[in-house]
Amino acid sequence: MLRLTFVIALATALLGFGEHKFYFSRTTIEQNAVMNRYEITMRFFTDDLERALSTEDEKVRFADDPYDPSFDTEVEEYIRKHFFIRIDNENIQWRYLGKQVESDITWCYAEINNIPPTNVLEIKNTSLFELFDEQVNEVALKINGRQHRMMLTRQKPSEVITN
């Protein structure tokens, strides 16, 4: 058993698994046809979102007071700068509902009410690209009974779906 543990530790060190960080966020957009809205959930690693909101003079730490309303304002402003939805070439305004901090994951919630019939849907998400070249922002959509998956990167920050 000791020999196996040593081999795993050595392989991890040689391959660099211990030093590599995973740069990933996930956004889920689900159509609620009954309420005629899109329900949006964004999931970030808490330390990455804190770093994005921090300045040289002030470090953001949700653990200090996760219910501080100023954090919600900062999170909403950040997401508004980086997350966009266009329906049939028209920018759509979404409503920020709040966030929930769970240890190393922060969940952010938004919605779009009174959604128009959709022929062309474009999603753009540049969150955390300013911090990490390797950042991937996955977007999972459930619209009109169909599922779509986008992997947005710095090289391809948006994608279009045609119904």
Side-chain angles (χ1 to χ4, degrees):
M1 183 67 178
L2 182 57
R3 183 175 272 172
L4 178 61
T5 303
F6 174 75
V7 170
I8 292 171
L10 180 61
T12 300
L14 291 174
L15 294 174
F17 290 129
E19 295 177 13
H20 181 71
K21 187 170 177 187
F22 190 56
Y23 302 107
F24 183 81
S25 78
R26 183 163 206 258
T27 299
T28 304
I29 302 171
E30 291 191 25
Q31 180 182 28
N32 182 329
V34 172
M35 301 298 290
N36 193 34
R37 71 177 174 219
Y38 290 152
E39 298 167 348
I40 303 166
T41 304
M42 302 178 104
R43 185 184 79 187
F44 297 97
F45 286 111
T46 299
D47 61 334
D48 293 345
L49 187 56
E50 289 171 336
R51 184 173 169 191
L53 299 175
S54 293
T55 64
E56 283 187 29
D57 299 330
E58 184 180 349
K59 301 295 181 209
V60 172
R61 293 248 328 124
F62 294 145
D64 294 342
D65 185 0
Y67 302 105
D68 183 338
S70 69
F71 288 147
D72 275 317
T73 302
E74 291 179 51
V75 169
E76 179 180 3
E77 288 174 2
Y78 181 80
I79 294 172
R80 285 202 185 280
K81 285 196 271 186
H82 295 279
F83 180 73
F84 305 92
I85 295 179
R86 292 174 57 91
I87 294 177
D88 296 333
N89 293 318
E90 181 180 328
N91 289 327
I92 302 297
Q93 293 298 314
W94 46 265
R95 184 169 75 106
Y96 178 77
L97 301 174
K99 67 164 178 27
Q100 180 180 0
V101 180
E102 291 182 359
S103 182
D104 62 341
I105 300 293
T106 298
W107 302 86
C108 301
Y109 306 99
E111 67 182 6
I112 300 170
N113 290 307
N114 302 316
I115 53 174
T118 305
N119 292 317
V120 178
L121 177 71
E122 179 181 3
I123 307 292
K124 182 176 184 180
N125 187 352
T126 61
S127 300
L128 306 175
F129 288 170
E130 76 279 12
L131 298 177
F132 311 113
D133 289 334
E134 305 87 7
Q135 178 70 33
V136 174
N137 295 325
E138 178 187 24
V139 179
L141 298 121
K142 191 183 235 183
I143 297 173
N144 297 328
R146 295 175 35 208
Q147 294 188 4
H148 308 272
R149 185 172 174 223
M150 303 174 178
M151 301 303 270
L152 305 179
T153 64
R154 185 179 286 238
Q155 295 75 26
K156 188 181 96 172
S158 66
E159 192 167 317
V160 174
I161 292 176
T162 304
N163 284 330

